[in-house]
Amino acid sequence: MMAAVRLLCRTVSSSSSSSSCVHSGLGATLLRLSPSCSSKPKTQKRHAAHFTYQPDPVPTKHGPTVKMNLFQSVTSALDNTLASDPTAVIFGEDVAFGGVFRCTVGLRDKYGKDRVFNTPLCEQGIVGFGIGVAAAGATAIAEIQFADYIFPAFDQIVNEAAKYRYRSGNLYDSGNLTIRAPWGCVGHGSLYHSQSPEAFFAHCPGLKVVVPRGPIQAKGLLLSCIADKNPCIFFEPKILYRAAVEQVPTEPYHIPLSQAEVVQEGSDMTLVAWGTQVHVMREVATMAQEKLGVSCEVIDLRTILPWDIETVCKSVVKTGRLLISHEAPVTGGFAAEISSTVQEQCFLNLEAPITRVCGYDTPFPHIFEPFYIPDKWKCFEAVKRMINY
Amino acid sequence: MATVRGLQKWVGIGFHAFRQRSALNSSRVLQQRAFRLSGARCQQPFDSSVEKPQFPGASAEFVDHLEFIQPNVISGIPIYRVMDRQGQIINPSEDPKLPKETVLNFYQKMTLLNTMDRILYESQRQGRISFYMTNYGEEGTHIGSAAALDPNDLVFGQYREAGVLMYRGFPLDLFMAQCYANADDLGKGRQMPVHYGCRDLNFVTISSPLATQLPQAAGAAYALKRENSNRAVICYFGEGAASEGDAHAGFNFSATLECPLIFFCRNNGYAISTPTNEQYRGDGIAARGPGYGMLSIRVDGNDVFAVYNVTKEARRRAVAENQPFLIEAMTYRIGHHSTSDDSSAYRSVDEVNYWDKQDHPISRLRHYMTACGWWGEEEERAWRKQSRKLVMEAFERAERRLKPHPDLMFTDVYNEMTPGLAQQKESFWRHIQQYKEHYPLDLYEK
């Protein structure tokens, strides 16, 4: 969808530049485009989404629910936080008007511009600033516009935020800091709007790294990150911002960190993934059942660091086989850590080599995305080979 | 990268704006559209001689001749001073007229720091501590600025600001405990020497990565501003650290977000071996402040009263007006960069001697005190003896003390002990039990 609009914007703005480009109104420019909006995407055939979103069951424990997509559930979590914690502030690039992904819509109007504000365009500054806010005792919720642009802040995250408590002997800490960032492939994001950098951070003691698979998970896990007394990075699968819709409680609730969730029970094989890839795995499990008669247990890891070794190992002890899949490149990806740990702890139970189906060891490509991602067919093929091992 | 991102942002924003607007009823959309179109078409032609620039990015006049702005580095921002090298007040109206006890306290803290530096430097030379960094020549910047602050003001430092802690009353025992990383160290022996921190004295723990504290200080100042607590933040850094990207971030964030913050740059001429002409080509650090919309001043860092005056005023205004200030204190790094550095490899002994003998913050204050009749040879001799004794006693106590319990290697990584870490701790102890003769267990608390 976004690609279509982007394409459109390029075409039309070039054709209409003579008449309207002097004008600053974004809305005007786009309204002008609207007539062609319906016709263009037809000519530009898009590859179907590589996953089918499967909503979670409607939660009953946390009061009334409202239909929300993922970006709305993030807003809801932020709204709950600002309402209950007067020290909490939200900042980053373009968050004031609602954010480029709409995650902060309405919050500035509701809570004031000293609590929801734009920063200069500088990621190291955003994270450094957030650490300072947290060190002074307030709650800091920083946004990095795309996970791809978190690397300028790598030093502040790895050398500073993660080590603040340890190095000071617990005199000072950055535990009140949460960094949110849109994450993962989006169909057309190419090198710098698609990355999944969780493994870079998984090597850094002191951090927590969390990835939700849908709106209910996003809100509960984000609220836990914000409440957690450690610096957390919360990666939001941006392809799900609009695509994933389910009933989300409006009141605050927490989903515990460092706890994986068995989203589907099975007996022959364990499939582990996080973020969007959980939905791919669910489809793979269905395919395996239908085509091969193989019963797969699907686990959403949810927290990358510190991860839930127990749940994963318990499952592998039962099934004897483990397939791990992530969008990020395979070498040095977090699947390697899971694989090696499970191999150490479940050696006698393993009946086939642990298999990783991941992105290739290349940068994330533009036009080749359908071939790059570890889609259900690649995962299904791996299941087939493992079961016949 | 910037271009692509710019595009993406533009598209993202446009996309959502479109979505939102399409939800409005159609007549309103049409109205809006008509309004915007007519706005574009109704532009009146006007006389170009009275034309005012309308660019949102700057407020300025047009100019009809081509002229690049020339940096003024020959005659830079002047250096504010209160007393000359003989300790004489130059302009009586600038004399802070501090009472005798305050001035004596300044002097004693500066010299006590100096004594501690000498003893800890020597102790590193003898291999008794692993590392040390002295403060020679920069004592005035620490004490003068610290004295001008409120004790509740939060301090972010680099590593050459031990005098600030000294001024705030950090005990010699705790300085030593940190350098020896013994069981009394508030930091639990985890960081290299001179990485001090003290929560009670509002001094944020030092870390080695340079300039990371600048944007952090901005964030802390922002949080304090929201607390409405009448507190300011001061952030110290060297002129070398000011080259880091984080310095740019910190300056810009604090200005745009209106933070009650004092940036205090110690420009001592060197970043390890790199002289300032390889560090920057502008008029030092102070000249950068106005570029960020920051009030800035340059001060004689060897003049404790000048440092005191500028910090006092910056502090007052930072809190009252919620805006950042930049102070560049010109000084000279008399000592080596650290105990791992021999500065004679890149600068002359004569150069160092000039600053040590002719223009030193301690001797200048002593001249002042002598002229006031507040200090003489006798007091000097007695204080030297006493300060040396205080330092030596703390030193010996610190050296006798055991190192912290090895369990402390595993705590505070997270607020809680994670299961993974608990397991690693257990496995560590199993290993230690089996191979204890190969580890220095007797030096550590049990």
Side-chain angles (χ1 to χ4, degrees), chain A residues 1-2 5-6 9-10 19-20 22-32 34-35 37 86-89 93-94 97 99-102 105 113-115 117-133 135-138 145-146 149 152 155-156 159-162 164-173 188 192-193 204-208 228-230 242 305-306 309 345, chain B residues 1 4-5 7-22 29 32-33 35-37 39-41 43 154 156 186-188 190-191 195 197-224 226-227 231 244-250 252-254 256-257 259 408-416 418-420 423:
Chain A
M1 184 69 169
M2 265 177 73
V5 175
R6 174 156 53 174
C9 193
R10 272 198 206 131
S19 63
S20 73
V22 215
H23 219 20
S24 63
L26 272 173
T29 319
L30 272 139
L31 280 168
R32 221 163 237 281
S34 56
C37 206
T87 71
V89 289
E93 296 157 13
D94 308 302
F97 88 110
V100 298
F101 288 109
R102 318 309 292 151
V105 169
K113 58 185 199 288
D114 68 317
R115 302 191 64 193
F117 52 92
N118 290 338
T119 64
L121 204 165
C122 178
E123 285 76 13
Q124 62 198 93
I126 292 171
V127 174
F129 184 87
I131 293 170
V133 170
Q145 202 158 62
F146 287 85
Y149 305 125
D155 182 45
Q156 285 285 356
N159 276 330
E160 295 291 316
Y164 229 79
R165 187 189 301 276
Y166 187 79
R167 73 181 184 209
S168 70
N170 206 13
L171 295 179
Y172 288 94
D173 68 80
H188 52 272
Y192 307 113
H193 300 85
C204 181
L207 292 178
K208 294 195 175 178
D228 194 86
K229 289 294 156 209
N230 299 286
R242 288 162 185 281
L305 186 75
I309 299 174
Q345 301 210 1
Chain B
M1 175 167 134
V4 177
R5 185 147 54 149
L7 180 73
Q8 175 75 20
K9 276 187 187 162
W10 176 270
V11 172
I13 293 163
F15 176 42
H16 302 301
F18 161 68
R19 292 269 302 208
Q20 237 176 8
R21 277 166 207 267
S22 64
V29 172
Q32 222 169 32
R33 187 175 169 188
F35 170 75
R36 284 179 187 272
L37 287 178
R41 278 173 194 162
Q43 277 195 345
L154 194 56
F156 285 81
L186 301 175
K188 304 181 187 170
R190 291 168 183 152
Q191 288 212 85
H195 290 57
C198 182
R199 176 124 203 143
D200 294 341
L201 300 176
N202 296 301
F203 191 98
V204 179
T205 303
I206 299 294
S207 75
S208 308
L210 288 179
T212 49
Q213 78 276 19
L214 274 82
Q216 292 173 13
Y222 189 88
L224 296 188
R226 287 204 65 243
E227 272 180 17
R231 291 169 73 194
E244 292 281 2
D246 275 332
H248 165 62
N252 199 25
F253 274 55
S254 60
T256 59
L257 298 169
C259 304
L408 293 177
M409 178 163 71
F410 295 97
T411 57
D412 302 330
V413 179
Y414 293 94
N415 184 42
E416 67 281 3
T418 63
Q423 229 168 46

Side-chain angles (χ1 to χ4, degrees), chain A residues 127 131 150-151 153-167 174 177 179 197-210 230-233 235 258 303-307 332-334 337, chain B residues 209 412-415 418 421 424:
Chain A
V127 174
I131 293 170
I150 205 167
F151 299 108
F154 201 72
D155 182 45
Q156 285 285 356
I157 295 172
V158 172
N159 276 330
E160 295 291 316
K163 299 173 173 58
Y164 229 79
R165 187 189 301 276
Y166 187 79
R167 73 181 184 209
S174 60
L177 171 67
I179 304 165
E198 64 273 17
F200 286 104
F201 297 103
H203 197 56
C204 181
L207 292 178
K208 294 195 175 178
V209 182
V210 177
N230 299 286
C232 296
I233 304 178
F235 287 126
S258 294
T303 300
I304 310 301
L305 186 75
W307 67 288
F334 195 66
E337 178 62 33
Chain B
D412 302 330
V413 179
Y414 293 94
N415 184 42
T418 63
L421 267 177
Q424 290 176 19

Side-chain angles (χ1 to χ4, degrees), chain B residues 205-330:
Chain B
T205 303
I206 299 294
S207 75
S208 308
L210 288 179
T212 49
Q213 78 276 19
L214 274 82
Q216 292 173 13
Y222 189 88
L224 296 188
K225 175 176 79 168
R226 287 204 65 243
E227 272 180 17
N228 229 344
S229 53
N230 256 344
R231 291 169 73 194
V233 174
I234 190 165
C235 178
Y236 296 90
F237 56 99
E239 91 286 349
S243 295
E244 292 281 2
D246 275 332
H248 165 62
F251 296 156
N252 199 25
F253 274 55
S254 60
T256 59
L257 298 169
E258 298 167 355
C259 304
L261 170 57
I262 302 163
F263 286 113
F264 193 106
C265 178
R266 297 175 291 96
N267 189 335
N268 62 20
Y270 289 91
I272 305 188
S273 72
T274 306
T276 53
N277 72 336
E278 293 169 20
Q279 199 64 249
Y280 53 72
R281 284 298 160 95
D283 174 25
I285 310 304
R288 296 179 196 170
Y292 291 96
M294 202 161 26
L295 280 104
S296 306
I297 198 165
R298 179 173 276 157
V299 62
D300 184 342
N302 297 340
D303 177 345
V304 69
F305 294 149
V307 172
Y308 174 84
N309 279 356
V310 296
T311 313
K312 188 100 184 153
E313 180 63 2
R315 200 262 168 208
R316 185 185 69 76
R317 292 191 60 186
V319 172
E321 300 162 18
N322 282 325
Q323 61 165 328
F325 284 76
L326 174 61
I327 298 170
E328 183 184 26
M330 307 310 289

